Amino acid sequence: MLDYSMLYPESTVSRRAVSMDGMWNFQLDEKEEGIASGWTEGLPSPDSIPVPASFQDFYTEKDIREYAGDFWYEKDMFIPGEWEGKKVFVRFGCATHRAEVFVNGVKVTEHLGGFLPFSADVTDVVRYNAQNKLVVKVNNELSVTNIPCGTTITLSNGKKMAKPYFDFFNYSGLQRSVYLTAVPQEYIFDITTDYELCGEDAKVSYRIDTTGEHTVLVTLCDAEGNVAASAQGKEGVLDVKNAHLWEVRNAYLYSMMVQITDGAEVIDEYRQEIGIRTVEVKDTSILLNGKPVYLKGFGKHEDSDIIGRGFNIGVMKRDFELMKWIGANSFRTSHYPYSEEIYQMADREGFLIIDEVPAVGLFESLMNFMEASTGKQTAFFEKETTPELLKSHLHALEEMIARDKNHPSVIAWSLLNEPESTSDAAVPYFKEVFDKAHELDVQKRPRTFALVMNAVPGTCKCHQFSDIVALNRYYGWYVKGGHEMMDAREMLIKELEGWKAMNVNKPFIFTEYGADTLASEHKLPSVMWSQEYQEEYLKMTHDVFDSFDFVKGEQVWNFADFQTTEGIMRVNGNKKGIFTRQRQPKDVAYKLKQRWESLPVDFKG
Ligand SMILES: O=C(O)[C@H]1O[C@@H](Oc2ccc([N+](=O)[O-])cc2)[C@H](O)[C@@H](O)[C@@H]1O
């Protein structure tokens, strides 16, 4: 059990949530002198920077964009006098990749992992009805003991630099919203729900964790605000007559009001939106509410101009509008859990999410993710650092499931992206991670991981753990590209025939396939990197998908062009987007729209 509540900050009769977003003080700590020089009490010569945002792309100096090491944020926070007697927290949507938090010079918490929320209890440290100094020391170095994996090198001038084992820029900082929250001493700590459909009706079982012993009341209201069911007690079942189900691209949300009461008065109150739906895997089908669903959509990134990986409510809105326009119904949160607001929107819009923990880069080689195609056996999990890596991995998994378990949009957990999965040493590691996900999720959602190109029938030792087998495949791009596409097609068919022969009897989905394409390039006949080639590549791939019944989804790589580390394989970033980084369509988007609008929800059902 986590020692902080993962509930999204909301104000209610008993609670207060105050956003701390805005301009913060900011300072790099190249000499790592902050602690010794008393920066915990305040920064000596800070710059001013927005939160939420990645810090990298604001500045014109390359040394800042590429900075690896400690950096500090600072902000004054006024704590209202009427909060005295309550429990007061500072809640970070994330701090990438690790943080230590100080209030009035006192360390209140630390956290490892850059993509999930954490809270610091500051009740006994703050001065009420007064300004208080909040200081956060953040660090963005990469290692193989934390996820995502990478290394940190030192350049000849003594400066550090991040070397990711993954293909996205190492954006960092306070990239999501920060809240000040106040709750009563006895408060609602956690809410967990599960669903069972019984004809026209549904049973919503719930569990409420609180920090006290007073009575818990639960009232479920439908979208019109009418009471649909109610119950008393920390655990129970709500019987919902004529349940209005949450369906793909046709969402319906109930609102679950949870109250702690002493009989006379409400002690604490929290409102949780829920969607009544079930998700399961049966043979080669993914079933939502018992009906087969074919996934159409994307691997995405949180990535946009200027703010990098910072949460931006406008970019989020545009992305959902584009996904609706193109006829998508799902996405994977590659390669880390996204901002909570994105799941809330998916809940409302009826999108299906494969929620991915930041376990990417678990593959050992010099150019890491580039070398996967060579079929090299790397035995990543035999390192002596593996137990520590597993610890961070399990911790992130616990936080992700605790944070996201109540979102109807989340239909599966992705537990790793393109890990080494061909050695014996990978097997016990996978077993622990997959068992943990099963144990933590009351809804027992399907679990998956994205198989890298060398994990094929005969070599992969870990797909046995997946409930849905997810393939990242680049036949026609990294392998047999250009005029060799006809051979790429044969290889893709051959691999799928191989899986078929193994009688895996599970749904297969493609979580990545794509071709880098410059929005500026047209060429007739096509060449790789031209818009024409992206269309040919997708057409070839889709034709193959359509000829295998057990392929139950396609999530193209990537929704939009995104920033990566610079290098000879990337033209100012990865250009596999169906949309540009500015969220305008490449030519292929119109073709994809035609295809996806014509595929029924239960395609191949
Ligand atoms: O390369 C891509 O565009 C994407 O593919 C995946 O990484 C690969 C890189 C090279 C090869 N290969 O050489 O075969 C296969 C896979 C990653 O999951 C993703 O983060 C990345 O952006």
Side-chain angles (χ1 to χ4, degrees), residues 224-253:
E224 287 76 49
N226 303 315
V227 174
S230 58
Q232 191 176 324
K234 288 189 178 190
E235 274 184 86
V237 178
L238 296 155
D239 280 304
V240 185
K241 297 283 165 226
N242 290 311
H244 199 142
L245 302 186
W246 188 95
E247 305 274 12
V248 196
R249 297 289 298 106
N250 186 15
Y252 186 93
L253 296 174

PDB file of all heavy atoms in Angstrom, residues 224-253:
ATOM      1  N   GLU A 224     -27.807  12.036 -15.396  1.00  0.00           N
ATOM      2  CA  GLU A 224     -28.795  13.093 -15.185  1.00  0.00           C
ATOM      3  C   GLU A 224     -28.834  13.537 -13.726  1.00  0.00           C
ATOM      4  O   GLU A 224     -29.589  14.432 -13.360  1.00  0.00           O
ATOM      5  CB  GLU A 224     -30.196  12.628 -15.603  1.00  0.00           C
ATOM      6  CG  GLU A 224     -30.410  12.523 -17.112  1.00  0.00           C
ATOM      7  CD  GLU A 224     -29.759  11.288 -17.710  1.00  0.00           C
ATOM      8  OE1 GLU A 224     -29.963  10.184 -17.153  1.00  0.00           O
ATOM      9  OE2 GLU A 224     -29.031  11.426 -18.708  1.00  0.00           O
ATOM     10  N   GLY A 225     -28.054  12.861 -12.900  1.00  0.00           N
ATOM     11  CA  GLY A 225     -28.012  13.241 -11.486  1.00  0.00           C
ATOM     12  C   GLY A 225     -28.996  12.479 -10.619  1.00  0.00           C
ATOM     13  O   GLY A 225     -29.108  12.745  -9.424  1.00  0.00           O
ATOM     14  N   ASN A 226     -29.719  11.522 -11.211  1.00  0.00           N
ATOM     15  CA  ASN A 226     -30.643  10.710 -10.411  1.00  0.00           C
ATOM     16  C   ASN A 226     -29.906   9.597  -9.693  1.00  0.00           C
ATOM     17  O   ASN A 226     -28.985   9.012 -10.257  1.00  0.00           O
ATOM     18  CB  ASN A 226     -31.721  10.093 -11.308  1.00  0.00           C
ATOM     19  CG  ASN A 226     -32.475  11.154 -12.077  1.00  0.00           C
ATOM     20  OD1 ASN A 226     -32.865  12.175 -11.506  1.00  0.00           O
ATOM     21  ND2 ASN A 226     -32.645  10.932 -13.372  1.00  0.00           N
ATOM     22  N   VAL A 227     -30.341   9.296  -8.471  1.00  0.00           N
ATOM     23  CA  VAL A 227     -29.692   8.229  -7.713  1.00  0.00           C
ATOM     24  C   VAL A 227     -30.003   6.879  -8.356  1.00  0.00           C
ATOM     25  O   VAL A 227     -31.149   6.524  -8.564  1.00  0.00           O
ATOM     26  CB  VAL A 227     -30.147   8.244  -6.242  1.00  0.00           C
ATOM     27  CG1 VAL A 227     -29.571   7.045  -5.490  1.00  0.00           C
ATOM     28  CG2 VAL A 227     -29.734   9.549  -5.572  1.00  0.00           C
ATOM     29  N   ALA A 228     -28.934   6.137  -8.694  1.00  0.00           N
ATOM     30  CA  ALA A 228     -29.109   4.836  -9.341  1.00  0.00           C
ATOM     31  C   ALA A 228     -28.999   3.707  -8.329  1.00  0.00           C
ATOM     32  O   ALA A 228     -29.605   2.642  -8.501  1.00  0.00           O
ATOM     33  CB  ALA A 228     -28.071   4.659 -10.444  1.00  0.00           C
ATOM     34  N   ALA A 229     -28.227   3.935  -7.281  1.00  0.00           N
ATOM     35  CA  ALA A 229     -28.052   2.927  -6.238  1.00  0.00           C
ATOM     36  C   ALA A 229     -27.291   3.560  -5.081  1.00  0.00           C
ATOM     37  O   ALA A 229     -26.602   4.551  -5.263  1.00  0.00           O
ATOM     38  CB  ALA A 229     -27.274   1.727  -6.772  1.00  0.00           C
ATOM     39  N   SER A 230     -27.438   2.971  -3.907  1.00  0.00           N
ATOM     40  CA  SER A 230     -26.648   3.470  -2.783  1.00  0.00           C
ATOM     41  C   SER A 230     -26.341   2.327  -1.834  1.00  0.00           C
ATOM     42  O   SER A 230     -26.990   1.280  -1.863  1.00  0.00           O
ATOM     43  CB  SER A 230     -27.382   4.594  -2.056  1.00  0.00           C
ATOM     44  OG  SER A 230     -28.628   4.133  -1.609  1.00  0.00           O
ATOM     45  N   ALA A 231     -25.336   2.530  -1.017  1.00  0.00           N
ATOM     46  CA  ALA A 231     -24.925   1.483  -0.088  1.00  0.00           C
ATOM     47  C   ALA A 231     -24.193   2.120   1.083  1.00  0.00           C
ATOM     48  O   ALA A 231     -23.784   3.281   1.040  1.00  0.00           O
ATOM     49  CB  ALA A 231     -24.024   0.470  -0.790  1.00  0.00           C
ATOM     50  N   GLN A 232     -24.018   1.328   2.123  1.00  0.00           N
ATOM     51  CA  GLN A 232     -23.312   1.794   3.312  1.00  0.00           C
ATOM     52  C   GLN A 232     -22.219   0.806   3.659  1.00  0.00           C
ATOM     53  O   GLN A 232     -22.394  -0.398   3.476  1.00  0.00           O
ATOM     54  CB  GLN A 232     -24.313   1.908   4.477  1.00  0.00           C
ATOM     55  CG  GLN A 232     -23.742   2.625   5.669  1.00  0.00           C
ATOM     56  CD  GLN A 232     -24.788   2.804   6.776  1.00  0.00           C
ATOM     57  OE1 GLN A 232     -25.961   3.024   6.506  1.00  0.00           O
ATOM     58  NE2 GLN A 232     -24.334   2.690   8.013  1.00  0.00           N
ATOM     59  N   GLY A 233     -21.093   1.307   4.134  1.00  0.00           N
ATOM     60  CA  GLY A 233     -19.995   0.430   4.534  1.00  0.00           C
ATOM     61  C   GLY A 233     -18.794   0.603   3.632  1.00  0.00           C
ATOM     62  O   GLY A 233     -18.918   1.070   2.498  1.00  0.00           O
ATOM     63  N   LYS A 234     -17.632   0.215   4.162  1.00  0.00           N
ATOM     64  CA  LYS A 234     -16.392   0.405   3.411  1.00  0.00           C
ATOM     65  C   LYS A 234     -16.286  -0.531   2.206  1.00  0.00           C
ATOM     66  O   LYS A 234     -15.551  -0.252   1.271  1.00  0.00           O
ATOM     67  CB  LYS A 234     -15.190   0.206   4.325  1.00  0.00           C
ATOM     68  CG  LYS A 234     -15.008   1.336   5.326  1.00  0.00           C
ATOM     69  CD  LYS A 234     -13.687   1.209   6.045  1.00  0.00           C
ATOM     70  CE  LYS A 234     -13.520   2.371   7.003  1.00  0.00           C
ATOM     71  NZ  LYS A 234     -12.172   2.437   7.561  1.00  0.00           N
ATOM     72  N   GLU A 235     -16.988  -1.640   2.288  1.00  0.00           N
ATOM     73  CA  GLU A 235     -17.012  -2.543   1.150  1.00  0.00           C
ATOM     74  C   GLU A 235     -18.449  -2.915   0.872  1.00  0.00           C
ATOM     75  O   GLU A 235     -19.236  -3.063   1.809  1.00  0.00           O
ATOM     76  CB  GLU A 235     -16.216  -3.809   1.446  1.00  0.00           C
ATOM     77  CG  GLU A 235     -14.738  -3.654   1.134  1.00  0.00           C
ATOM     78  CD  GLU A 235     -13.969  -4.947   1.344  1.00  0.00           C
ATOM     79  OE1 GLU A 235     -13.937  -5.747   0.392  1.00  0.00           O
ATOM     80  OE2 GLU A 235     -13.440  -5.139   2.448  1.00  0.00           O
ATOM     81  N   GLY A 236     -18.785  -3.061  -0.382  1.00  0.00           N
ATOM     82  CA  GLY A 236     -20.155  -3.433  -0.674  1.00  0.00           C
ATOM     83  C   GLY A 236     -20.409  -3.551  -2.158  1.00  0.00           C
ATOM     84  O   GLY A 236     -19.495  -3.466  -2.964  1.00  0.00           O
ATOM     85  N   VAL A 237     -21.701  -3.749  -2.446  1.00  0.00           N
ATOM     86  CA  VAL A 237     -22.099  -3.906  -3.840  1.00  0.00           C
ATOM     87  C   VAL A 237     -23.272  -2.981  -4.119  1.00  0.00           C
ATOM     88  O   VAL A 237     -24.216  -2.910  -3.341  1.00  0.00           O
ATOM     89  CB  VAL A 237     -22.519  -5.373  -4.130  1.00  0.00           C
ATOM     90  CG1 VAL A 237     -22.982  -5.513  -5.576  1.00  0.00           C
ATOM     91  CG2 VAL A 237     -21.376  -6.329  -3.842  1.00  0.00           C
ATOM     92  N   LEU A 238     -23.182  -2.253  -5.217  1.00  0.00           N
ATOM     93  CA  LEU A 238     -24.282  -1.388  -5.640  1.00  0.00           C
ATOM     94  C   LEU A 238     -25.016  -2.112  -6.755  1.00  0.00           C
ATOM     95  O   LEU A 238     -24.406  -2.492  -7.748  1.00  0.00           O
ATOM     96  CB  LEU A 238     -23.726  -0.060  -6.163  1.00  0.00           C
ATOM     97  CG  LEU A 238     -22.981   0.807  -5.153  1.00  0.00           C
ATOM     98  CD1 LEU A 238     -21.991   1.718  -5.860  1.00  0.00           C
ATOM     99  CD2 LEU A 238     -23.965   1.622  -4.330  1.00  0.00           C
ATOM    100  N   ASP A 239     -26.331  -2.312  -6.562  1.00  0.00           N
ATOM    101  CA  ASP A 239     -27.122  -2.959  -7.601  1.00  0.00           C
ATOM    102  C   ASP A 239     -27.691  -1.897  -8.514  1.00  0.00           C
ATOM    103  O   ASP A 239     -28.507  -1.083  -8.084  1.00  0.00           O
ATOM    104  CB  ASP A 239     -28.262  -3.772  -6.962  1.00  0.00           C
ATOM    105  CG  ASP A 239     -27.741  -5.109  -6.461  1.00  0.00           C
ATOM    106  OD1 ASP A 239     -27.159  -5.843  -7.291  1.00  0.00           O
ATOM    107  OD2 ASP A 239     -27.879  -5.383  -5.255  1.00  0.00           O
ATOM    108  N   VAL A 240     -27.269  -1.913  -9.747  1.00  0.00           N
ATOM    109  CA  VAL A 240     -27.738  -0.898 -10.689  1.00  0.00           C
ATOM    110  C   VAL A 240     -28.706  -1.532 -11.680  1.00  0.00           C
ATOM    111  O   VAL A 240     -28.318  -2.391 -12.475  1.00  0.00           O
ATOM    112  CB  VAL A 240     -26.549  -0.258 -11.444  1.00  0.00           C
ATOM    113  CG1 VAL A 240     -27.034   0.882 -12.332  1.00  0.00           C
ATOM    114  CG2 VAL A 240     -25.500   0.238 -10.452  1.00  0.00           C
ATOM    115  N   LYS A 241     -29.965  -1.100 -11.592  1.00  0.00           N
ATOM    116  CA  LYS A 241     -30.985  -1.629 -12.513  1.00  0.00           C
ATOM    117  C   LYS A 241     -30.841  -0.943 -13.873  1.00  0.00           C
ATOM    118  O   LYS A 241     -30.541   0.253 -13.932  1.00  0.00           O
ATOM    119  CB  LYS A 241     -32.396  -1.349 -11.957  1.00  0.00           C
ATOM    120  CG  LYS A 241     -32.673  -2.040 -10.624  1.00  0.00           C
ATOM    121  CD  LYS A 241     -32.963  -3.533 -10.790  1.00  0.00           C
ATOM    122  CE  LYS A 241     -32.873  -4.259  -9.441  1.00  0.00           C
ATOM    123  NZ  LYS A 241     -32.103  -5.523  -9.504  1.00  0.00           N
ATOM    124  N   ASN A 242     -31.084  -1.692 -14.932  1.00  0.00           N
ATOM    125  CA  ASN A 242     -30.982  -1.132 -16.295  1.00  0.00           C
ATOM    126  C   ASN A 242     -29.724  -0.303 -16.478  1.00  0.00           C
ATOM    127  O   ASN A 242     -29.778   0.862 -16.873  1.00  0.00           O
ATOM    128  CB  ASN A 242     -32.203  -0.257 -16.622  1.00  0.00           C
ATOM    129  CG  ASN A 242     -33.446  -1.103 -16.778  1.00  0.00           C
ATOM    130  OD1 ASN A 242     -33.420  -2.111 -17.503  1.00  0.00           O
ATOM    131  ND2 ASN A 242     -34.488  -0.743 -16.077  1.00  0.00           N
ATOM    132  N   ALA A 243     -28.627  -0.921 -16.183  1.00  0.00           N
ATOM    133  CA  ALA A 243     -27.351  -0.194 -16.194  1.00  0.00           C
ATOM    134  C   ALA A 243     -27.056   0.363 -17.580  1.00  0.00           C
ATOM    135  O   ALA A 243     -27.228  -0.312 -18.596  1.00  0.00           O
ATOM    136  CB  ALA A 243     -26.233  -1.123 -15.756  1.00  0.00           C
ATOM    137  N   HIS A 244     -26.635   1.596 -17.596  1.00  0.00           N
ATOM    138  CA  HIS A 244     -26.224   2.239 -18.848  1.00  0.00           C
ATOM    139  C   HIS A 244     -24.723   1.987 -18.983  1.00  0.00           C
ATOM    140  O   HIS A 244     -23.926   2.537 -18.218  1.00  0.00           O
ATOM    141  CB  HIS A 244     -26.536   3.738 -18.755  1.00  0.00           C
ATOM    142  CG  HIS A 244     -26.583   4.408 -20.075  1.00  0.00           C
ATOM    143  ND1 HIS A 244     -27.479   5.395 -20.384  1.00  0.00           N
ATOM    144  CD2 HIS A 244     -25.828   4.241 -21.197  1.00  0.00           C
ATOM    145  CE1 HIS A 244     -27.284   5.812 -21.631  1.00  0.00           C
ATOM    146  NE2 HIS A 244     -26.289   5.125 -22.138  1.00  0.00           N
ATOM    147  N   LEU A 245     -24.338   1.166 -19.936  1.00  0.00           N
ATOM    148  CA  LEU A 245     -22.943   0.743 -20.008  1.00  0.00           C
ATOM    149  C   LEU A 245     -22.045   1.777 -20.683  1.00  0.00           C
ATOM    150  O   LEU A 245     -22.488   2.550 -21.527  1.00  0.00           O
ATOM    151  CB  LEU A 245     -22.825  -0.592 -20.750  1.00  0.00           C
ATOM    152  CG  LEU A 245     -23.616  -1.758 -20.160  1.00  0.00           C
ATOM    153  CD1 LEU A 245     -23.292  -3.058 -20.910  1.00  0.00           C
ATOM    154  CD2 LEU A 245     -23.347  -1.926 -18.670  1.00  0.00           C
ATOM    155  N   TRP A 246     -20.792   1.719 -20.289  1.00  0.00           N
ATOM    156  CA  TRP A 246     -19.736   2.507 -20.932  1.00  0.00           C
ATOM    157  C   TRP A 246     -19.264   1.694 -22.135  1.00  0.00           C
ATOM    158  O   TRP A 246     -18.772   0.582 -21.978  1.00  0.00           O
ATOM    159  CB  TRP A 246     -18.603   2.729 -19.933  1.00  0.00           C
ATOM    160  CG  TRP A 246     -17.529   3.674 -20.389  1.00  0.00           C
ATOM    161  CD1 TRP A 246     -17.456   5.005 -20.112  1.00  0.00           C
ATOM    162  CD2 TRP A 246     -16.348   3.364 -21.157  1.00  0.00           C
ATOM    163  NE1 TRP A 246     -16.322   5.546 -20.674  1.00  0.00           N
ATOM    164  CE2 TRP A 246     -15.619   4.565 -21.324  1.00  0.00           C
ATOM    165  CE3 TRP A 246     -15.850   2.198 -21.725  1.00  0.00           C
ATOM    166  CZ2 TRP A 246     -14.411   4.630 -22.036  1.00  0.00           C
ATOM    167  CZ3 TRP A 246     -14.653   2.259 -22.431  1.00  0.00           C
ATOM    168  CH2 TRP A 246     -13.945   3.470 -22.575  1.00  0.00           C
ATOM    169  N   GLU A 247     -19.465   2.254 -23.339  1.00  0.00           N
ATOM    170  CA  GLU A 247     -19.085   1.519 -24.553  1.00  0.00           C
ATOM    171  C   GLU A 247     -17.997   2.262 -25.317  1.00  0.00           C
ATOM    172  O   GLU A 247     -17.790   3.465 -25.108  1.00  0.00           O
ATOM    173  CB  GLU A 247     -20.305   1.361 -25.470  1.00  0.00           C
ATOM    174  CG  GLU A 247     -21.526   0.706 -24.823  1.00  0.00           C
ATOM    175  CD  GLU A 247     -21.497  -0.811 -24.870  1.00  0.00           C
ATOM    176  OE1 GLU A 247     -20.429  -1.402 -25.192  1.00  0.00           O
ATOM    177  OE2 GLU A 247     -22.540  -1.440 -24.577  1.00  0.00           O
ATOM    178  N   VAL A 248     -17.365   1.557 -26.250  1.00  0.00           N
ATOM    179  CA  VAL A 248     -16.322   2.154 -27.085  1.00  0.00           C
ATOM    180  C   VAL A 248     -16.873   3.360 -27.852  1.00  0.00           C
ATOM    181  O   VAL A 248     -17.878   3.226 -28.563  1.00  0.00           O
ATOM    182  CB  VAL A 248     -15.810   1.163 -28.163  1.00  0.00           C
ATOM    183  CG1 VAL A 248     -14.473   1.649 -28.736  1.00  0.00           C
ATOM    184  CG2 VAL A 248     -15.716  -0.232 -27.638  1.00  0.00           C
ATOM    185  N   ARG A 249     -16.244   4.485 -27.732  1.00  0.00           N
ATOM    186  CA  ARG A 249     -16.634   5.728 -28.410  1.00  0.00           C
ATOM    187  C   ARG A 249     -18.097   6.085 -28.157  1.00  0.00           C
ATOM    188  O   ARG A 249     -18.724   6.774 -28.962  1.00  0.00           O
ATOM    189  CB  ARG A 249     -16.353   5.630 -29.936  1.00  0.00           C
ATOM    190  CG  ARG A 249     -14.890   5.465 -30.281  1.00  0.00           C
ATOM    191  CD  ARG A 249     -14.057   6.743 -30.043  1.00  0.00           C
ATOM    192  NE  ARG A 249     -14.507   7.831 -30.880  1.00  0.00           N
ATOM    193  CZ  ARG A 249     -15.207   8.885 -30.450  1.00  0.00           C
ATOM    194  NH1 ARG A 249     -15.503   9.010 -29.173  1.00  0.00           N
ATOM    195  NH2 ARG A 249     -15.578   9.805 -31.266  1.00  0.00           N
ATOM    196  N   ASN A 250     -18.595   5.608 -27.058  1.00  0.00           N
ATOM    197  CA  ASN A 250     -19.969   5.888 -26.658  1.00  0.00           C
ATOM    198  C   ASN A 250     -20.006   5.751 -25.143  1.00  0.00           C
ATOM    199  O   ASN A 250     -20.573   4.835 -24.583  1.00  0.00           O
ATOM    200  CB  ASN A 250     -20.904   4.891 -27.355  1.00  0.00           C
ATOM    201  CG  ASN A 250     -22.365   5.216 -27.086  1.00  0.00           C
ATOM    202  OD1 ASN A 250     -22.704   6.304 -26.621  1.00  0.00           O
ATOM    203  ND2 ASN A 250     -23.238   4.258 -27.372  1.00  0.00           N
ATOM    204  N   ALA A 251     -19.350   6.711 -24.535  1.00  0.00           N
ATOM    205  CA  ALA A 251     -19.129   6.614 -23.090  1.00  0.00           C
ATOM    206  C   ALA A 251     -20.375   7.015 -22.311  1.00  0.00           C
ATOM    207  O   ALA A 251     -21.174   7.821 -22.776  1.00  0.00           O
ATOM    208  CB  ALA A 251     -17.976   7.531 -22.701  1.00  0.00           C
ATOM    209  N   TYR A 252     -20.534   6.424 -21.161  1.00  0.00           N
ATOM    210  CA  TYR A 252     -21.567   6.872 -20.228  1.00  0.00           C
ATOM    211  C   TYR A 252     -20.956   6.803 -18.838  1.00  0.00           C
ATOM    212  O   TYR A 252     -20.443   5.753 -18.429  1.00  0.00           O
ATOM    213  CB  TYR A 252     -22.807   5.973 -20.297  1.00  0.00           C
ATOM    214  CG  TYR A 252     -23.946   6.500 -19.460  1.00  0.00           C
ATOM    215  CD1 TYR A 252     -24.918   7.335 -20.015  1.00  0.00           C
ATOM    216  CD2 TYR A 252     -24.028   6.201 -18.094  1.00  0.00           C
ATOM    217  CE1 TYR A 252     -25.954   7.836 -19.237  1.00  0.00           C
ATOM    218  CE2 TYR A 252     -25.051   6.712 -17.312  1.00  0.00           C
ATOM    219  CZ  TYR A 252     -26.017   7.523 -17.880  1.00  0.00           C
ATOM    220  OH  TYR A 252     -27.027   8.014 -17.110  1.00  0.00           O
ATOM    221  N   LEU A 253     -21.010   7.912 -18.142  1.00  0.00           N
ATOM    222  CA  LEU A 253     -20.365   7.946 -16.827  1.00  0.00           C
ATOM    223  C   LEU A 253     -21.381   8.129 -15.709  1.00  0.00           C
ATOM    224  O   LEU A 253     -22.301   8.945 -15.808  1.00  0.00           O
ATOM    225  CB  LEU A 253     -19.327   9.075 -16.775  1.00  0.00           C
ATOM    226  CG  LEU A 253     -18.148   8.921 -17.740  1.00  0.00           C
ATOM    227  CD1 LEU A 253     -17.263  10.164 -17.715  1.00  0.00           C
ATOM    228  CD2 LEU A 253     -17.332   7.676 -17.412  1.00  0.00           C
TER     229      LEU A 253
END
